[in-house]
């Protein structure tokens, strides 16, 4: 074998991720990139500062096939692979983590359980509208007293003559104040106290979803509670094909996988901003980028981004082969979120005083990634999931 050809280093894509994708995947990525840059980027500063989410965004995403990308076409999805879904998340979060959260919840936490665990009637009733963004969905698992320990939930479903009566509350629920469809998890007495999923609809008596105000992170995404005061539903509200924590965790695995891609999009935005700023900004008669410390920071950033993207691609390819190893998703989510948060913080520092200005965007990413590092399994809990797999001993 001859000597390998020496090629130039690509500061934006050192391992040539682009050519590891199929033509279809590149097309999906380019569509998502164009939409995010043309339609989301101009809105994001105002949305973040004023804590305002425009639900029209979900309709726009739906019209391009960016919602429920992995759902079969017969139910309104695009029938794409998991890598395509990840690429969409990356491009949306390159603009803002809050926008990606809204898309992820709709796709992975609402459409997936209805498709995977629901009846054909439920699929046909809800999925096409959700895919188009005409319906907005939310996912109710976390409670005021049950975050990292979802098995400790207090929400209950009591059997009635015609169905079930649900009582309890959920907290930190993306999309809930504007949701039409609520996928809610409760302990069902009729199923021996096992956790079951239910699909609720806006307007049901006893169902409310107050907005959580004054967030300091994910301000371009709307977040609320779900309060259920003896909400009566029919038997047709039950998701019949799953029981226990397997149900919500099946959804969360897919959402966490998407976060592994999305967080790298935010990191890439912060890295590119730091590179551009330090090349343009002159101090002591030369660009900031000519300093060793600045170059070290940029080298560290692109190292973690490149490795994080390769890990995301590997997990996605395995999922497309029908292989899902939950602990590798914990590894991906934990590593990529933690590294993205570090990159955003360092980029903010490299911008000096300008780093705190909304105009330069990096502090918004840093504030958002504080939440992304916490939700859907905290950094520490994912370490314990991995630790259990490594040692065979549960530490929680």
């Amino acid at each position: 074998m001859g000597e390998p050809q020496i090629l130039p280093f690509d500061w934006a894509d050192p391992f040539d991720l682009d050519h590891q994708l199929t033509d279809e995947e590149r097309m999906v990525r380019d569509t998502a990139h164009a939409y995010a840059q043309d339609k989301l980027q101009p809105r994001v500063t105002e949305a973040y500062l004023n804590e305002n989410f425009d639900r029209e965004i979900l309709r726009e995403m739906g019209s391009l096939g960016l919602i429920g990308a992995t759902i079969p076409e017969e139910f309104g999805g695009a029938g794409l692979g998991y890598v395509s879904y990840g690429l969409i998340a990356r491009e949306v979060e390159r603009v803002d983590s809050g926008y990606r959260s809204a898309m992820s919840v709709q796709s992975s936490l609402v459409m997936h359980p209805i498709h995977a665990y629901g009846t054909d009637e439920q699929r046909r009733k809800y999925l096409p509208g959700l895919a188009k963004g005409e319906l907005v969905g939310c996912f109710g698992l976390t409670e005021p007293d049950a975050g990292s320990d979802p098995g400790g939930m207090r929400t209950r479903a009591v059997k009635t003559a015609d169905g079930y009566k649900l009582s309890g509350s959920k907290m930190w629920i993306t999309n809930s104040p504007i949701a039409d469809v609520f996928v809610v998890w409760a302990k069902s007495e009729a199923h021996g106290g096992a956790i079951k999923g239910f699909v609720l609809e806006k307007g049901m008596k006893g169902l409310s979803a107050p907005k959580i105000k004054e967030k300091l992170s994910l301000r371009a995404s709307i977040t609320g509670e779900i309060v259920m005061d003896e909400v009566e539903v029919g038997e047709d509200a039950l998701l019949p094909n799953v029981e226990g924590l397997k149900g919500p965790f099946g959804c969360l695995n897919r959402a966490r996988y998407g976060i592994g891609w999305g967080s790298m999009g935010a990191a890439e935005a912060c890295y590119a901003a730091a590179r551009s700023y330090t090349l343009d900004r002159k101090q002591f008669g030369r660009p900031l980028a000519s300093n060793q410390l600045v170059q070290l920071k940029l080298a560290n950033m692109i190292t973690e981004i490149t490795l994080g993207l390769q890990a995301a691609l590997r997990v996605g390819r395995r999922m497309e082969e029908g292989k899902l190893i939950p602990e590798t998703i914990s590894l991906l989510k934990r590593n990529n979120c933690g590294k993205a948060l570090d990159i955003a913080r360092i980029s903010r520092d490299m911008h000096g005083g300008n780093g705190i200005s909304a105009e330069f965007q990096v502090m918004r990413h840093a504030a958002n990634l504080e939440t992304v590092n916490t939700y859907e399994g905290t950094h520490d809990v994912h370490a314990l999931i991995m630790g259990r797999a490594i040692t065979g001993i549960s530490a929680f």
Side-chain angles (χ1 to χ4, degrees):
M1 185 177 291
E3 283 293 305
Q5 181 185 0
I6 304 297
L7 299 175
F9 181 83
D10 182 348
W11 69 266
D13 187 11
F15 282 6
D16 197 11
L17 179 74
D18 185 64
H19 282 90
Q20 298 174 61
L21 306 176
T22 66
D23 289 342
E24 180 183 65
E25 288 163 349
R26 281 192 287 270
M27 185 177 68
V28 169
R29 179 203 57 199
D30 292 347
T31 299
H33 180 82
Y35 169 73
Q37 295 301 315
D38 294 346
K39 300 295 187 182
L40 296 182
Q41 189 66 58
R43 290 160 145 146
V44 68
T45 300
E46 181 276 331
Y48 186 89
L49 293 176
N50 295 322
E51 210 170 348
N52 172 52
F53 178 76
D54 181 0
R55 70 170 285 164
E56 186 63 26
I57 285 167
L58 289 171
R59 288 192 182 92
E60 292 169 2
M61 289 181 173
S63 70
L64 294 171
L66 302 179
I67 295 177
T70 61
I71 298 293
E73 292 181 53
E74 66 174 302
F75 298 116
L80 298 171
Y82 285 103
V83 170
S84 289
Y85 170 67
L87 293 166
I88 294 167
R90 177 189 177 203
E91 293 305 329
V92 174
E93 194 153 356
R94 195 185 298 274
V95 173
D96 192 81
S97 302
Y99 289 150
R100 198 268 310 141
S101 295
M103 184 275 293
S104 289
V105 166
Q106 187 96 337
S107 298
S108 292
L109 300 183
V110 180
M111 295 181 71
H112 171 73
I114 292 172
H115 180 254
Y117 313 136
T119 63
D120 228 35
E121 290 74 21
Q122 289 168 330
R123 294 181 190 118
R124 299 193 187 286
K125 180 177 181 181
Y126 297 113
L127 292 178
L130 289 164
K132 292 189 181 89
E134 292 169 357
L135 297 176
V136 176
C138 68
F139 173 89
L141 179 64
T142 297
E143 297 187 356
D145 297 313
S148 296
D149 177 20
M153 74 170 61
R154 296 181 181 178
T155 301
R156 294 290 184 271
V158 177
K159 193 77 182 76
T160 64
D162 301 317
Y164 302 88
K165 189 180 290 184
L166 279 78
S167 295
S169 62
K170 304 293 182 178
M171 191 73 172
W172 298 114
I173 310 302
T174 298
N175 294 349
S176 76
I178 59 169
D180 305 292
V181 179
F182 299 70
V183 173
V184 172
W185 303 91
K187 288 185 175 176
S188 171
E189 294 180 4
H191 299 88
I195 292 171
K196 298 290 288 186
F198 298 85
V199 184
L200 279 54
E201 297 179 12
K202 183 178 183 177
M204 287 181 166
K205 185 179 178 183
L207 176 64
S208 60
K211 179 180 177 179
I212 296 172
K213 299 179 181 177
E214 299 183 349
K215 294 183 300 176
L216 298 178
S217 177
L218 291 190
R219 290 170 58 85
S221 164
I222 190 165
T223 310
E225 303 173 50
I226 301 173
V227 180
M228 293 161 284
D229 182 9
E230 297 193 336
V231 178
E232 293 194 38
V233 298
E235 191 71 42
D236 59 353
L238 177 72
L239 294 173
N241 299 323
V242 76
E243 189 168 294
L245 284 171
K246 178 184 177 183
F249 283 171
C251 310
L252 286 167
N253 276 327
R254 284 156 179 82
R256 290 162 175 168
Y257 160 73
I259 290 168
W261 280 98
S263 58
M264 287 293 96
E268 287 177 286
C270 292
Y271 162 65
R275 178 183 178 272
S276 177
Y277 186 82
T278 55
L279 283 169
D280 292 342
R281 176 87 166 175
K282 290 183 172 61
Q283 296 288 283
F284 307 107
R286 58 182 187 161
L288 282 174
S290 65
N291 290 294
Q292 290 181 352
L293 283 174
V294 169
Q295 293 189 11
L296 174 65
K297 290 170 182 175
L298 292 172
N300 287 341
M301 287 179 181
I302 194 55
T303 298
E304 298 300 350
I305 289 167
T306 302
L307 296 176
L309 287 171
Q310 288 297 139
L313 180 65
R314 175 63 179 146
V315 173
R317 293 289 184 233
R318 273 183 160 176
M319 290 172 71
E320 289 173 350
E321 293 168 4
K323 300 170 185 174
L324 193 156
I325 303 167
E327 292 83 3
T328 63
I329 290 180
S330 286
L331 186 157
L332 179 71
K333 196 273 183 186
R334 179 177 187 269
N335 177 77
N336 288 14
C337 291
K339 297 296 171 56
L341 178 55
D342 288 343
I343 287 166
R345 287 169 173 166
I346 292 166
S347 180
R348 204 292 313 152
D349 179 70
M350 292 168 74
H351 280 74
N354 286 327
I356 71 165
S357 167
E359 178 187 348
F360 288 87
Q361 313 214 32
V362 289
M363 192 161 178
R364 172 171 53 78
H365 279 298
N368 284 340
L369 287 163
E370 291 285 354
T371 295
V372 179
N373 201 39
T374 296
Y375 71 11
E376 300 195 25
T378 68
H379 196 259
D380 288 348
V381 164
H382 281 299
L384 296 181
I385 291 170
M386 292 172 61
R388 180 177 60 191
I390 292 164
T391 65
I393 302 168
S394 177
F396 59 97

